[in-house]
Amino acid sequence: MASIEMYGGKPLCGEIEIQGSKNAALPILAATILIDGITILHNCPKILDIFYMVKILESLGCSVLWEGHRIQVDARPCKKICVPEEYAGKMRSSVIFLGPLLAKKKEAFLPYPGGCVIGTRPIDLHMKALSSMNIFFKEEGPWIHAKGEPILGGNIVLDFPSVGATENIVLASVLANGITRLENAAMEPEITELCCFLTKAGAKIQGIGTSVLEIQGVKELKGVEHTIEADRIVAGTYLFAALGTRGQVLLQNAPVGQMRATLEIAQKMGALLCEKDGDLFVDGKNAWERLPYIKTEIYPGFPTDLQSPLLSVLSVAKGNSIVEETIFESRFKVVEELRRLGASMEIEGRQVIIHGKERLNGCCLKAQELRGGAALVIAGLIAKGKTRIIQTQYIKRGYEDICRDLKALGANIFYS
Ligand code: UD1
């Protein structure tokens, strides 16, 4: 399965259920290392990043049972402290093992993390914050060696509300000696979910959902069962696919409460939305209005992960739009590919100026990263004729089965 083909130009129509959240499941899986008992997670998405995460847990000595969307972890046999390069290199989220390994084993070895090609993505904020908890870092060849004995609570103010750094600090502090106060914490829903999961296991965290978290270290965490929430980025991707193709879709179990900024954008473009019993009905028949200026922001603003999918939709809006990327410095790789389909857009610094066209025409495209890859699928469904996308393994990192889902919405799409 290296490429996807589709015949576009047809409105999507139908209903699909939204998969569990990748960005919630990843830190929660890392958090299982902290738990003295069995963790059972439901609704885990069957995606590549979760596969890598499970492989890392197993290589650390955890016993993992993965059946369908249920993952059971027993971290009590976990003895090792070294995150293997083989999987860490494939996924930046492997940095999230730093906090739990330090909390539980007081020491960790981590290769410099990999992931999407969307900027340099350093981990200086993680290291600076953890350093104020009596944790010391040394560079040893390609490895980061971290040690802290004991791990002490501290007062931390993040220079930028990094999602990953906030998660690592929370994970390092739940078993630390004393209280950790974290200011300017990220407020993404995945952090709220991680904190709720840890609280169920016995952690003491105040300020959940706000930018100031106070964590009182406890002696141990106990086994827990948890259901992963639906993925707001996957829901947003399919919403934009409906808008771009002027379709009508029902997104079952969409986390609408976490999608306000995205829904507002869809409405500005002319979409009609209706929320009922946890489902979201999207009518994109008249969603062709331009967006004079939109920027990506930290939560609750418009998420950077949906910026590329939005570019695909705006490529066929009526008139000119501007999209500014404020979170990552290099997240416009998709622009060159969209131009191959006939889209008219240019990059000016951190902005893309899009001149809406009447139609796109199918051709052969190359996915270069996860969300950009999904954006190309949307563009291929908008375009008339046949589109072929290669290197689709990136898409599999975050979407269970994008062809299955879009077929359920009536698309003529298949793996080739
Ligand atoms: C998480 C999400 C990712 C999303 C991003 C922003 C997961 C698994 N991934 O990534 O899908 O796009 O949040 O919402 O949840 N930065 C530094 N130094 C650091 C850490 C970050 O300069 O130590 C910079 C990054 O390069 C980037 C910005 O801060 O420009 C945001 O990064 P961060 O919030 O940490 O994102 P991730 O946790 O990597």
Side-chain angles (χ1 to χ4, degrees):
M1 193 271 287
S3 59
I4 293 178
E5 287 182 27
M6 69 202 84
Y7 292 86
K10 187 178 145 206
L12 291 181
C13 182
E15 43 187 272
I16 37 164
E17 177 144 4
I18 301 304
Q19 70 185 55
S21 163
K22 166 175 98 66
N23 289 356
L26 291 174
I28 287 177
L29 277 167
T32 62
I33 291 205
L34 300 168
I35 291 179
D36 285 310
I38 289 180
T39 308
I40 298 173
L41 301 176
H42 301 281
N43 202 32
C44 286
K46 289 193 276 181
I47 54 175
L48 259 187
D49 273 16
I50 298 291
F51 172 80
Y52 297 140
M53 209 68 183
V54 165
K55 286 288 174 203
I56 295 174
L57 284 170
E58 283 173 343
S59 74
L60 293 171
C62 302
S63 132
V64 187
L65 211 70
W66 186 1
E67 283 171 348
H69 294 102
R70 177 187 186 276
I71 300 183
Q72 179 177 312
V73 184
D74 184 354
R76 286 170 295 187
C78 168
K79 293 278 179 291
K80 299 201 181 131
I81 53 169
C82 185
V83 176
E85 208 170 357
E86 185 187 354
Y87 300 109
K90 293 197 167 74
M91 186 180 60
R92 183 183 152 80
S93 318
S94 53
V95 71
I96 208 63
F97 279 101
L98 206 48
L101 281 175
L102 281 163
K104 200 67 185 165
K105 310 285 177 198
K106 316 292 177 231
E107 193 172 6
F109 282 89
L110 187 89
Y112 277 104
C116 281
V117 213
I118 52 172
T120 48
R121 301 186 90 171
I123 57 164
D124 55 313
L125 297 172
H126 300 238
M127 288 164 66
K128 187 176 163 200
L130 293 172
S131 297
S132 52
M133 298 178 71
N134 196 38
I135 292 164
F136 297 89
F137 291 92
K138 253 200 292 183
E139 276 182 40
E140 293 179 12
W143 296 89
I144 301 167
H145 180 190
K147 208 167 173 179
E149 182 96 69
I151 308 231
L152 304 174
N155 287 323
I156 300 166
V157 183
L158 280 176
D159 296 334
F160 173 83
S162 152
V163 173
T166 300
E167 291 167 347
N168 252 332
I169 296 159
V170 169
L171 291 164
S173 59
V174 280
L175 296 178
N177 293 357
I179 296 174
T180 303
R181 184 180 158 84
L182 171 60
E183 289 179 44
N184 202 24
M187 294 190 291
E188 267 64 7
E190 296 77 25
I191 291 165
T192 301
E193 190 171 346
L194 173 67
C195 291
C196 291
F197 167 82
L198 290 166
T199 305
K200 267 196 248 174
K204 293 213 168 100
I205 308 174
Q206 283 186 349
I208 296 176
T210 75
S211 65
V212 182
L213 296 172
E214 219 169 76
I215 304 125
Q216 160 88 65
V218 296
K219 285 264 169 303
E220 66 164 28
L221 298 181
K222 57 180 189 311
V224 64
E225 198 161 344
H226 177 79
T227 301
I228 302 292
E229 288 182 16
D231 195 311
R232 64 193 172 104
I233 305 301
V234 170
T237 304
Y238 294 148
L239 175 144
F240 282 144
L243 263 55
T245 61
R246 318 284 185 240
Q248 290 179 315
V249 305
L250 182 75
L251 304 176
Q252 294 166 354
N253 193 30
V256 283
Q258 304 175 3
M259 295 174 68
R260 295 290 163 211
T262 305
L263 301 187
E264 221 171 88
I265 283 180
Q267 278 168 327
K268 276 189 190 151
M269 293 194 70
L272 294 176
L273 306 175
C274 176
E275 302 168 35
K276 202 172 166 231
D277 302 331
D279 296 342
L280 175 66
F281 177 72
V282 182
D283 181 349
K285 269 195 295 194
N286 299 316
W288 52 60
E289 299 297 341
R290 73 192 186 100
L291 297 174
Y293 173 75
I294 286 291
K295 64 174 172 183
T296 61
E297 287 175 285
I298 54 171
Y299 188 80
F302 179 61
T304 172
D305 287 352
L306 286 174
Q307 177 254 108
S308 297
L310 177 63
L311 291 185
S312 297
V313 184
L314 290 175
S315 67
V316 287
K318 273 190 186 155
N320 298 342
S321 304
I322 295 177
V323 175
E324 181 164 342
E325 172 58 56
T326 74
I327 308 294
F328 290 103
E329 77 275 21
S330 160
R331 207 173 193 178
F332 291 140
K333 290 236 164 4
V334 78
V335 166
E336 202 183 316
E337 298 300 301
L338 293 177
R339 282 200 196 116
R340 288 178 205 276
L341 294 164
S344 169
M345 44 182 78
E346 65 257 6
I347 302 170
E348 278 185 16
R350 285 193 156 218
Q351 296 187 342
V352 179
I353 295 116
I354 307 114
H355 313 282
K357 297 289 277 281
E358 272 206 4
R359 61 179 273 176
L360 303 180
N361 296 305
C363 69
C364 190
L365 304 171
K366 183 159 78 178
Q368 293 175 78
E369 42 99 3
L370 166 58
R371 306 300 172 189
L376 295 184
V377 174
I378 296 176
L381 294 175
I382 294 171
K384 298 269 189 290
K386 178 176 162 181
T387 293
R388 179 161 182 259
I389 303 174
I390 59 168
Q391 289 189 181
T392 57
Q393 70 276 11
Y394 290 113
I395 301 173
K396 198 67 187 145
R397 284 190 51 202
Y399 298 81
E400 271 196 2
D401 189 339
I402 203 163
C403 284
R404 172 200 67 195
D405 288 348
L406 292 166
K407 254 187 206 149
L409 298 179
N412 185 357
I413 184 169
F414 46 90
Y415 297 109
S416 63

